[in-house]
Amino acid sequence: MKKSTWYRDLLVMLAALCVAGVAVVWVQRITGRIDGVAMLIFMLAVFVTSMYTDGYLWGVLASLASVLAVNFAFFTPYFAFNFTLPENLFSGLVMLAVSIMTSTLTTRVKKQEQLRMETEREKMRANLLRAVSHDLRTPITAIKGYVEGIQDGIAATPEKQQHYLDIVYNKTMVMEKLVRNMSDFSEYELGRMQYHFEYVDMLPFLQDLAEEYQDDVQQSGMTFQAELSKGSYTVTADRGKLKRVLDNLVSNAVKYGKPGGEIHFSAEEYEGGLVLQVTDNGKGISPQALHHVFDSFFRADAARTSSVPGSGLGLAICRSIVDSHHGKIWLTSEEGEGTRAFVYLPLQKEEGMA
């Protein structure tokens, strides 16, 4: 057992027992009696100790300490250990047995829950590998085919060769996103995602992104409109991670929007924060699926039945990033009408800025 863990578990046990002792004294002063209540309160302390410490040791120690505390302070003769009286001995043995059983059962249930969570994590890892390997297979096959087309002379003209190369480039971007999602999810799952926060002037930041999205969306055959409210909007953010969120929302709008449709990107101040919105006019998401869009590996019906690659991790990672910015992210959608994605970021107050 690591020293830090041992020290923490000791503090948890002592804190639970001290709180139990104070509670018993408080009840005794209010009611004037303590018969039976002391044992129940200290057994609750044993339960708390078992829940928030590792292994069986601390629960057993808390059980022994509780029996001694109750016998010493709350059984006659008060403030003296006496196990010679039959009632004291019997009560002590019963309390010890019940406390140890409570500690054992609680620890066992906790271990089973930990095992269940680990099983779920293993299942999620397997799902991730299966989803990514499946989704990587499609662009890899396409890249191989177009490269062979260039090598074999099928793309004989420079124009056709450039067309093939453009397709290969787009497919590699898809692969890059899938791999990045896998890497980000690994960091997200382990709680190791790194952030570099700074003051960000959002208007020029969003204007640069809008120009980038304009080109990307037009290449997909859709139209893009940006509506950014003029003004000074400063947030504390990680530029790269925030761009990652907006890239994902715009990418989803392109993938699942109506062919030849329109994507609208806007930003406006609202209740002390900045609300970013990405809207498409695609098929939308069913009400049932809408409740799960931020779950890891979840893909809505429209995504599952399409040939569009995806691991179902993008929005889960987006939510983690937005949460780390003390913001909120949510979606609204109507089937057949489209989807709206919202990101709320708290604005930095001027007096709090350096």
Side-chain angles (χ1 to χ4, degrees):
M1 183 183 296
K2 294 182 179 179
K3 185 175 180 181
S4 59
T5 303
W6 181 90
Y7 185 68
R8 183 208 66 189
D9 290 348
L10 176 62
L11 289 179
V12 169
M13 184 188 72
L14 293 177
L17 294 175
C18 288
V19 170
V22 172
V24 169
V25 172
W26 180 72
V27 170
Q28 189 175 28
R29 286 188 176 181
I30 292 177
T31 64
R33 53 184 300 174
I34 202 62
D35 298 343
V37 177
M39 288 192 294
L40 294 176
I41 292 177
F42 273 95
M43 280 192 287
L44 180 60
V46 172
F47 172 78
V48 171
T49 300
S50 302
M51 281 292 296
Y52 295 99
T53 57
D54 293 330
Y56 294 91
L57 174 64
W58 300 104
V60 173
L61 289 178
S63 301
L64 294 172
S66 295
V67 170
L68 294 176
V70 170
N71 182 273
F72 180 78
F74 306 106
F75 281 173
T76 56
Y78 297 114
F79 302 106
F81 292 111
N82 189 342
F83 289 100
T84 59
L85 296 176
E87 58 270 23
N88 286 8
L89 180 61
F90 179 75
S91 297
L93 291 175
V94 170
M95 181 180 174
L96 181 62
V98 172
S99 298
I100 290 177
M101 285 191 293
T102 299
S103 171
T104 302
L105 290 173
T106 303
T107 303
R108 186 172 300 173
V109 168
K110 186 174 67 173
K111 287 183 176 294
Q112 289 176 345
E113 178 63 18
Q114 291 172 345
L115 180 61
R116 186 193 66 79
M117 292 176 63
E118 183 60 33
T119 302
E120 287 294 324
R121 282 194 291 267
E122 289 298 330
K123 187 184 299 183
M124 291 174 68
R125 294 188 188 102
N127 289 339
L128 174 61
L129 291 175
R130 183 165 54 251
V132 171
S133 62
H134 174 270
D135 290 332
L136 283 176
R137 191 177 300 119
T138 300
I140 287 174
T141 302
I143 289 172
K144 181 180 178 183
Y146 285 109
V147 170
E148 288 177 348
I150 296 175
Q151 291 176 332
D152 296 342
I154 296 175
T157 65
E159 292 78 10
K160 196 163 188 178
Q161 289 176 357
Q162 185 61 50
H163 176 64
Y164 277 26
L165 290 174
D166 289 340
I167 295 175
V168 168
Y169 176 79
N170 291 333
K171 296 298 181 183
T172 58
M173 292 297 99
V174 171
M175 294 171 60
E176 181 186 32
K177 182 178 179 181
L178 289 171
V179 173
R180 189 170 65 229
N181 273 346
M182 184 170 64
S183 176
D184 286 350
F185 178 74
S186 177
E187 294 180 355
Y188 154 70
E189 185 185 27
L190 296 173
R192 296 176 181 174
M193 191 171 284
Q194 300 292 322
Y195 291 91
H196 304 285
F197 290 103
E198 59 181 323
Y199 292 135
V200 178
D201 187 351
M202 291 298 290
L203 186 57
F205 175 75
L206 294 175
Q207 286 174 337
D208 290 341
L209 289 182
E211 292 179 6
E212 178 183 326
Y213 297 149
Q214 179 84 31
D215 295 335
D216 294 341
V217 172
Q218 285 181 346
Q219 289 180 10
S220 69
M222 305 174 75
T223 59
F224 180 84
Q225 288 189 353
E227 185 179 343
L228 307 176
S229 298
K230 301 297 182 181
S232 178
Y233 308 109
T234 303
V235 303
T236 302
D238 181 314
R239 289 176 180 267
K241 293 296 191 299
L242 188 55
K243 181 179 184 299
R244 178 89 168 82
V245 172
L246 297 175
D247 286 352
N248 186 276
L249 297 181
V250 173
S251 175
N252 284 346
V254 171
K255 287 190 294 186
Y256 306 123
K258 182 186 299 182
E262 180 179 294
I263 294 175
H264 187 258
F265 178 58
S266 66
E268 62 179 345
E269 186 175 358
Y270 180 75
E271 292 188 354
L274 188 65
V275 177
L276 311 176
Q277 180 177 336
V278 178
T279 305
D280 67 66
N281 56 352
K283 295 181 180 180
I285 306 171
S286 68
Q288 296 78 10
L290 196 60
H291 292 293
H292 300 283
V293 291
F294 292 104
D295 295 346
S296 299
F297 304 107
F298 180 82
R299 300 187 72 193
D301 295 338
R304 288 199 300 267
T305 57
S306 71
S307 59
V308 177
S311 58
L313 295 174
L315 287 178
I317 295 170
C318 286
R319 182 174 63 178
S320 174
I321 293 173
V322 173
D323 287 347
S324 297
H325 285 71
H326 305 291
K328 298 178 182 178
I329 182 171
W330 70 96
L331 266 63
T332 63
S333 185
E334 292 184 24
E335 291 185 281
E337 298 294 330
T339 301
R340 293 184 177 185
F342 299 89
V343 175
Y344 174 88
L345 298 170
L347 290 172
Q348 179 67 43
K349 296 180 180 180
E350 292 184 4
E351 59 269 21
M353 295 177 59

